[in-house]
């Protein structure tokens, strides 16, 4: 009866930028967006990182926007020649792009009309039909076109844009999770975990090996959208950990 | 005359794991692989993160292995039920998969024959025709099949596997780069940078805005495979920064 409400809302993140692929800049946006969407009850199901090449951006955004409820992008919306995200989005959606009066007004108010250089005006280029996304940090807006949300790459600005756009998102039934730490290498738990996963098909049970001071330990994460389902599987995992430790 | 030598060698990284997409684990492998490949003269041109779902892994690896010289994967080769990378690779390549005698011998030597449980033997499942990749940290090997290198997700193990496989890679002419810091917001430099990019078409000039104590500064990165080409463009950028600062 509540199928509409509990229908998963899905998302992909597209990170745009040569600097991430060369290693010069270490990405900080993937983890932030993953946490943010998980907290909202939106399932992030794919991330892609592509270079500052129009054809690659167009191809990626068209693949992702067809596959997921929402796409979020970061990077490439600044004033310089290598900022080609806005033009790439216009191309992906087959719409025109020009200086947007709303974006221009925001930049004029911020810089003053006489300081609104050609370069800065580039940041007001918005594809036709897009809505602006507010940027409280440095003013130049992001935009939403179709189901794609185009944001800056600088983490502080990207985060402010996520806060600005979040109220417009439909959210799903939140994925609940419980983590259990086992002072065991994961191979010791593997057979029991496989059985527990079979016995609790409406959960997702992940096993994540860790190294602590050279010893192998494991974190088991149980996920479900239903609290009772989650609790039952987590109890079974806790029992398996306890009983396995007792045999050592 | 040296076209063969200077032909770019390209790569993609496929990160496999629900835990990265849920935000529970923060990826540390993208930045490491990016740095590592850049140092080898291999251009990392795409990264994808996909969940622990066979269909999604198969689809991604088939797309990437067709498009790039090399593919590297991380995650999903442990002993538990959610480790489905090896089986997914066999499916992607259309080959069989079974316990590999070489991998089994490595695990037997490590655990002792009587401790080689069914779960641990799962780590010896290797697609037919693959070569093993040594794992100095925890022994269970990765593997190479075709142009795809399948590695563990735990960063210390992934890094050891990269060290083990690196000597087998062909490498390109190394991409050189020079970074110039400008105490200016990037919009002040944008027009001159666009002109410098036009004047030096064999370089890639990237402009990366930063926030330092609430002020906007910029790092300009010039890249080229030729030192003289790089120097000429970098000199032009340095002049542009100096002259722009002088006008303020």
């Amino acid at each position: 009866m509540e199928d509409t409400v509990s229908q998963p809302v899905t998302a992909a993140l597209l990170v745009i930028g040569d600097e991430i692929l060369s290693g010069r800049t270490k990405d900080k946006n993937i983890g932030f967006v993953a946490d943010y969407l998980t907290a909202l009850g939106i399932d992030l199901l794919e991330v892609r990182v592509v270079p500052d090449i129009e054809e690659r951006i167009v191809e990626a955004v068209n693949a992702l926007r067809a596959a997921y409820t929402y796409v979020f992008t970061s990077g490439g919306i600044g004033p310089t020649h290598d900022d080609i995200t806005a033009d790439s989005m216009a191309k992906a959606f087959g719409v025109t792009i020009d200086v947007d009066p709303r974006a221009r007004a925001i930049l004029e108010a911020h810089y003053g009309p006489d300081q609104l250089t050609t370069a800065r005006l580039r940041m007001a280029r918005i594809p036709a039909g897009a809505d602006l996304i507010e940027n409280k940090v440095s003013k130049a807006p992001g935009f939403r076109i179709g189901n794609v949300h185009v944001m800056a790459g600088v983490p502080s600005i990207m985060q402010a844009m996520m806060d600005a756009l979040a109220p417009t998102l439909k959210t799903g039934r939140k994925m609940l999770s419980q983590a259990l730490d086992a002072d065991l290498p994961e191979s010791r738990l593997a057979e029991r975990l496989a059985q527990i996963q079979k016995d609790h098909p409406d959960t997702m049970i992940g096993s994540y090996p860790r190294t602590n001071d050279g010893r192998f330990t494991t974190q088991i994460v149980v996920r479900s959208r239903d609290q009772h389902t989650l609790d039952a599987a987590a109890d079974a995992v806790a029992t398996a950990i306890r009983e396995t430790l007792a045999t050592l």
Side-chain angles (χ1 to χ4, degrees), chain A:
Chain A
M1 301 301 257
E2 57 178 349
D3 264 13
T4 318
V5 177
S6 63
Q7 193 73 17
V9 180
T10 62
L13 171 64
L14 177 61
V15 176
I16 299 162
D18 293 343
E19 72 279 19
I20 305 294
L21 293 167
S22 74
R24 184 171 283 279
T25 300
K26 297 297 178 287
D27 167 76
K28 292 177 182 152
N29 292 339
I30 297 173
F32 178 86
V33 170
D35 282 337
Y36 203 103
L37 295 179
T38 298
L40 287 177
I42 295 173
D43 295 347
L44 180 64
L45 292 184
E46 183 165 354
V47 177
R48 293 194 194 183
V49 187
V50 298
D52 300 313
I53 297 172
E54 183 178 89
E55 182 191 353
R56 304 291 319 289
I57 299 169
V58 169
E59 170 194 82
V61 80
N62 278 340
L64 297 173
R65 71 191 177 98
Y68 303 104
T69 315
Y70 295 121
V71 178
F72 301 88
T73 82
S74 70
I77 61 167
T80 56
H81 64 281
D82 57 333
D83 290 307
I84 61 170
T85 297
D87 284 81
S88 301
M89 294 298 152
K91 189 153 191 177
F93 279 86
V95 299
T96 57
I97 180 167
D98 207 339
V99 170
D100 181 285
R102 299 163 300 173
R104 185 191 179 107
I106 291 168
L107 295 176
E108 271 183 356
H110 179 58
Y111 290 112
D114 54 323
Q115 290 290 310
L116 192 51
T117 57
T118 308
R120 286 175 172 157
L121 254 188
R122 201 175 149 80
M123 295 190 286
R125 285 173 64 77
I126 304 285
D131 298 321
L132 302 189
I133 297 172
E134 186 185 4
N135 167 3
K136 282 191 200 292
V137 177
S138 58
K139 300 304 171 188
F143 59 87
R144 181 186 67 73
I145 179 165
N147 60 341
V148 180
H149 300 77
V150 175
M151 304 185 290
V154 175
S156 59
I157 303 176
M158 193 277 293
Q159 293 171 19
M161 288 179 174
M162 275 302 273
D163 284 338
L165 70 84
T168 70
L169 301 173
K170 66 177 173 180
T171 56
R173 196 163 153 197
K174 196 176 157 187
M175 183 68 74
L176 308 171
S177 72
Q178 186 173 338
L180 298 96
D181 289 306
D183 192 8
L184 291 163
E186 63 171 357
S187 59
R188 295 251 179 211
L189 283 169
E191 288 176 61
R192 299 228 11 202
L193 287 181
Q195 189 58 50
I196 295 169
Q197 176 70 83
K198 267 185 204 150
D199 295 343
H200 297 81
D202 291 338
T203 65
M204 283 163 285
I205 302 177
S207 171
Y208 304 110
R210 306 271 166 97
T211 49
N212 291 328
D213 296 329
R215 284 186 324 132
F216 287 92
T217 63
T218 308
Q219 186 173 66
I220 312 299
V221 178
V222 185
R223 293 188 298 154
S224 170
R225 288 192 154 80
D226 178 79
Q227 187 68 53
H228 294 293
T229 306
L230 177 71
D231 290 343
D235 284 351
V237 172
T239 301
I241 293 172
R242 196 173 53 243
E243 291 180 358
T244 304
L245 281 168
T247 65
L248 295 185

